[in-house]
Amino acid sequence: MPISTEHKTTINALETQGVGKRFGGFWAVKDVSLAVKPGERRAILGPNGAGKTSLFNILTGDYAASAGSVSLFGDDLTKSSIPKRIKRGLRRTYQHAYLFDGLSVHDTLFLAVAGIRGGWLQVLPVRASDTRRVEAERLAEVCGLGDFLGKLVSDLSHGQRRQLEIGIALAEDPKVLLLDEPAAGLSPAERPQLSKLLLSLPSEITVILIEHDMEIAFQTSESVTVLFNGQLMAEGTPEEVMADKDVHEIYVGGAYGK
């Protein structure tokens, strides 16, 4: 699916104004302002310790912001709880998978849907026609695991586990999807499948990903933000960022693109 650079509304899907997170006297993120349009594909790049995951944690409510504000489609969510942000359509994956190895792919996705709908406590068994089961099957198809519904999570490859994480995050049609290093640990053979999955995501979903694999980041994103020491260092199209002298020197040691 080609990446579209046209967005129909002037209200940003996700916006931060001077957002920051301080731990004692150390600012892990400082004065970062972002404006991500609906349907945009944005990559967040930067060396280890640049503040990328800390920024995600502020956006999702895992960290309370020490400064600044976070809004989703114009609504201020700076002080909102994690469940409220999820209900408003903000979802994420994490660097390290948190999956139950004893569950099947279908059961994992079923619980993801049930959790969003507030149905974890419903007594089983569940009818085959239950819309949550149908949705779980749809999600499996979307994330490329349609042929593995009955397979245990423990039997999945690392790449398939990453696909399942994305399937979980897609439960109940999120508006903004944050992906934290989805290619981490993938083999060279698994990376094209991930790129294909990212490019196939519905165009109405805004996707922001942290990624160390610059090839995947540039291939699947239309805009790039570079963080360094917790602050915004560069922003633009992949081509503009690749041509940025400071990015070469600080992020890739001056070698990339030579």
Side-chain angles (χ1 to χ4, degrees), residues 8-30:
K8 297 181 179 180
T9 177
T10 58
I11 299 176
N12 290 314
L14 188 142
E15 185 172 341
T16 68
Q17 292 288 341
V19 82
K21 179 61 182 178
R22 182 175 62 188
F23 297 96
F26 171 71
W27 287 89
V29 177
K30 186 176 182 181

Side-chain angles (χ1 to χ4, degrees), residues 169-225:
L170 289 171
E172 293 300 281
D173 300 320
K175 296 179 181 178
V176 178
L177 180 62
L178 309 180
L179 304 176
D180 194 346
E181 295 192 36
L186 297 188
S187 68
E190 291 173 319
R191 289 171 185 261
Q193 178 64 30
L194 174 66
S195 293
K196 181 179 178 181
L197 172 56
L198 296 180
L199 289 169
S200 71
L201 293 175
S203 60
E204 62 268 21
I205 299 178
T206 303
V207 181
I208 307 173
L209 74 152
I210 295 171
E211 189 49 69
H212 280 291
D213 188 316
M214 295 182 75
E215 182 176 354
I216 289 178
F218 288 167
Q219 181 184 12
T220 61
S221 302
E222 64 195 82
S223 58
V224 179
T225 295

Side-chain angles (χ1 to χ4, degrees), residues 7 9 11-15 36-42 59-60 71-75 77 84-92 116 135 138-139 166-179 201-209:
H7 307 287
T9 177
I11 299 176
N12 290 314
L14 188 142
E15 185 172 341
V36 184
K37 297 179 177 65
E40 185 176 342
R41 270 51 174 159
R42 173 76 64 94
L59 299 178
T60 58
S71 62
L72 189 70
F73 291 96
D75 294 330
L77 297 182
K84 183 175 180 179
R85 298 182 198 216
I86 292 173
K87 287 289 187 182
R88 296 304 301 269
L90 183 63
R91 312 286 166 70
R92 74 170 294 179
I116 298 296
E135 175 65 3
R138 185 190 72 82
L139 290 172
I166 295 175
I168 293 170
L170 289 171
E172 293 300 281
D173 300 320
K175 296 179 181 178
V176 178
L177 180 62
L178 309 180
L179 304 176
L201 293 175
S203 60
E204 62 268 21
I205 299 178
T206 303
V207 181
I208 307 173
L209 74 152

